[in-house]
């Protein structure tokens, strides 16, 4: 009772002074408008390219809506602000606050980054998302990028890719000998082990390179993306599966200082928008590849071919050797690969009796 009396007296006093508690809680007329942030996002894809290039646009839309315009992100296609393969350095230096790309493009600078995209004969999209988001993978990725002032976030997944476009059939290992093929990341290392000549080119240059004979073969993504680039006009044999990219994770990279400069609610909006886009991209590929594959086969006469089992077996053996050698050369690679393989082994054991066992019902 005594406390109540004191409070009543205090309110009365404040009223006399012309500042009742109710008035104190209201925003004053001179309050500053909410601070706004304008970010730039550089990407490795042609602007608005299906799947890969749509993801950064969707991220920007979500962030603008969720933040009521307090954070806006202007998206740049490959070459608009910087070339496709300068995304990492541009965001690291802070010239752009964020980027959208794939970690395996930075293998020359950070070899272990490749593990956070995909590895030959590695995990599929569902397993990769499980490892990154709930299995400790993302924490290792953050640790790897911290020295560059970058924060990585999963930025979509293509699902199992296709094996690529060839102008000749691949029947034996000899057919890979001297084959100049666009294949990024560890897949390219594996190809070179069997006599192939891997080349890294941005997507926008693939059609011309294949058509002019600058390269003999190329992989890109899968039916939806490959149809968009018209790769079927430059080669007729389309091999499966993409042993070299079984669940390719894309990345959002964010300049650490820029991220830390945001208030907590905008940080949460950025993180949540990235998570949403990560799932949306996989859903888009799952849906759009159906019609694109039909069109490639029925409208364009593309021949769909499985890799010969003995070629796949040699590729898998070469992949094991390449991964073991890379782990031996680089402690960061070893750490990432060990964690990846440990998760992969566990999830495969479970998926053998769940996802894969169920898939067998259709064969
Ligand atoms: Ca690819």
């Amino acid at each position: 009772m005594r406390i109540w009396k004191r409070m009543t007296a205090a309110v009365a006093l404040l009223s006399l002074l012309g500042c009742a508690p109710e008035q104190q809680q209201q925003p004053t007329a001179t309050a500053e408008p909410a601070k706004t942030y304008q970010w730039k996002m550089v990407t490795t894809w042609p602007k608005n390219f299906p799947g890969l290039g749509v993801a950064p646009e969707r991220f920007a839309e979500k962030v603008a809506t969720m933040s009521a315009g307090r954070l806006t992100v202007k998206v740049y296609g490959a070459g608009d602000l910087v070339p496709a393969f300068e995304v990492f350095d541009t965001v690291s230096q802070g010239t752009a606050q964020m980027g959208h790309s794939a970690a395996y493009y930075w293998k020359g600078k950070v070899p272990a980054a490749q593990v956070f995209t995909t590895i030959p004969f590695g995990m599929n999209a569902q397993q990769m998302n499980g490892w990154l988001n709930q299995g400790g993978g993302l924490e290792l990725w953050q640790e790897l990028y911290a020295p560059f002032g970058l924060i990585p976030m999963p930025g979509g997944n293509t699902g199992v890719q296709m094996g690529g476009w060839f102008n000749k059939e691949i029947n034996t290992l000899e057919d890979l000998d001297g084959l100049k093929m666009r294949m990024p990341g560890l897949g390219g290392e594996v190809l070179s082990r069997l006599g192939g000549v891997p080349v890294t080119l941005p997507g926008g240059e693939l059609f011309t390179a294949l058509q002019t004979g600058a390269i003999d073969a190329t992989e890109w993504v899968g039916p939806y993306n490959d149809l968009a680039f018209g790769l079927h006009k430059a080669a007729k044999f389309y091999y499966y599966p993409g042993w070299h990219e079984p669940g390719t994770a894309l990345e959002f990279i964010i300049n650490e200082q820029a991220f830390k400069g945001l208030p907590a609610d905008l940080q949460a909006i950025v993180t949540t928008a990235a998570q949403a886009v990560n799932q949306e991209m996989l859903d888009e590929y799952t849906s759009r590849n159906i019609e694109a594959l039909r069109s490639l086969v029925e409208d364009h006469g593309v021949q769909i071919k499985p890799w010969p089992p003995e070629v796949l077996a040699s590729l898998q053996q070469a992949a094991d050797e390449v991964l073991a050698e890379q782990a031996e050369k680089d402690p960061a690679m070893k750490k990432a690969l060990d964690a990846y393989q440990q998760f992969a082994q566990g999830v495969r054991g479970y998926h053998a009796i769940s996802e894969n066992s169920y898939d067998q019902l259709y064969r």
Side-chain angles (χ1 to χ4, degrees):
M1 286 302 287
R2 187 172 291 174
I3 290 171
W4 172 246
K5 278 181 184 171
R6 278 188 196 161
M7 283 177 66
T8 308
V11 167
L13 180 61
L14 285 168
S15 296
L16 284 172
L17 295 172
C19 51
E22 292 79 11
Q23 286 173 330
Q24 277 187 321
Q25 287 164 7
Q26 287 171 1
T28 59
T30 56
E32 288 180 21
K35 189 171 178 190
T36 61
Y37 300 81
Q38 288 86 34
W39 278 15
K40 293 173 186 165
M41 172 155 49
V42 288
T43 72
T44 300
W45 334 111
K47 193 164 166 68
N48 278 312
F49 187 75
L52 303 172
V54 168
E57 305 288 346
R58 288 193 177 144
F59 174 89
E61 282 168 23
K62 286 182 201 304
V63 165
T65 305
M66 286 195 276
S67 72
R70 287 165 54 221
L71 173 59
T72 54
V73 182
K74 186 170 166 57
V75 179
Y76 294 86
D80 289 348
L81 196 62
V82 294
F85 294 148
E86 286 181 21
V87 168
F88 187 94
D89 288 343
T90 303
V91 181
S92 177
Q93 289 154 9
T95 312
Q97 289 77 12
M98 68 181 296
H100 189 253
S101 190
Y104 60 12
Y105 291 131
W106 324 128
K107 70 174 183 177
K109 191 182 297 284
V110 197
Q114 299 172 97
V115 178
F116 300 97
T117 306
T118 187
I119 68 174
F121 300 95
M123 291 191 278
N124 67 19
Q126 184 182 356
Q127 296 163 348
M128 191 69 182
N129 275 327
W131 180 55
L132 289 176
N133 293 320
Q134 298 289 330
L138 182 56
E139 288 75 10
L140 288 176
W141 196 1
Q142 288 165 343
E143 192 180 290
L144 187 69
Y145 277 15
F148 302 92
L150 291 172
I151 299 171
M153 294 179 188
N157 198 301
T158 63
V160 178
Q161 298 199 356
M162 286 292 284
W165 296 89
F166 299 79
N167 272 312
K168 63 172 190 181
E169 290 188 49
I170 303 297
N171 295 314
T172 66
L173 281 180
E174 285 69 47
D175 293 320
L176 296 180
D177 197 29
L179 187 84
K180 201 170 175 189
M181 179 170 185
R182 186 269 185 185
M183 187 175 276
L186 290 161
E189 302 284 336
V190 173
L191 185 69
S192 73
R193 194 61 55 103
L194 297 179
V197 183
V199 180
T200 299
L201 285 174
E205 296 176 22
L206 296 186
F207 177 77
T208 307
L210 188 59
Q211 200 182 36
T212 59
I215 53 175
D216 303 315
T218 187
E219 68 80 54
W220 176 225
V221 180
Y224 179 45
N225 278 167
D226 296 5
L227 179 66
F229 267 156
L231 297 177
H232 55 282
K233 295 175 196 159
K236 278 290 174 247
F237 298 112
Y238 197 22
Y239 274 80
Y240 73 88
W243 54 268
H244 61 299
E245 297 197 56
T248 305
L250 288 309
E251 68 176 7
F252 285 113
I253 45 176
I254 301 174
N255 180 279
E256 191 184 356
Q257 277 188 328
F259 188 75
K260 287 186 171 164
L262 295 177
D265 63 331
L266 291 184
Q267 288 181 351
I269 285 172
V270 166
T271 306
T272 304
Q275 287 166 346
V277 168
N278 184 54
Q279 184 63 45
E280 272 183 10
M281 187 194 286
L282 181 59
D283 298 344
E284 184 179 2
Y285 279 110
T286 301
S287 174
R288 305 277 182 237
N289 278 327
I290 302 168
E291 166 57 19
L293 178 63
R294 186 211 60 76
S295 178
L296 285 171
V297 174
E298 294 179 14
D299 304 339
H300 302 290
V302 168
Q303 292 191 42
I304 309 291
K305 297 225 165 242
W307 289 101
E310 59 273 25
V311 173
L312 270 185
S314 295
L315 287 165
Q316 188 152 18
Q317 195 185 345
D320 289 344
E321 290 168 12
V322 165
L323 294 174
E325 284 173 22
Q326 296 248 343
E328 206 173 312
K329 274 194 294 190
D330 178 18
M333 176 64 111
K334 179 168 170 34
K335 187 175 180 181
L337 266 179
D338 284 351
Y340 180 107
Q341 300 289 24
Q342 191 184 5
F343 190 90
Q345 200 176 0
V347 77
R348 278 183 180 139
Y350 171 60
H351 276 179
I353 60 163
S354 54
E355 310 288 333
N356 302 345
S357 155
Y358 180 73
D359 280 349
Q360 297 294 328
L361 299 179
Y362 291 103
R363 287 175 193 151

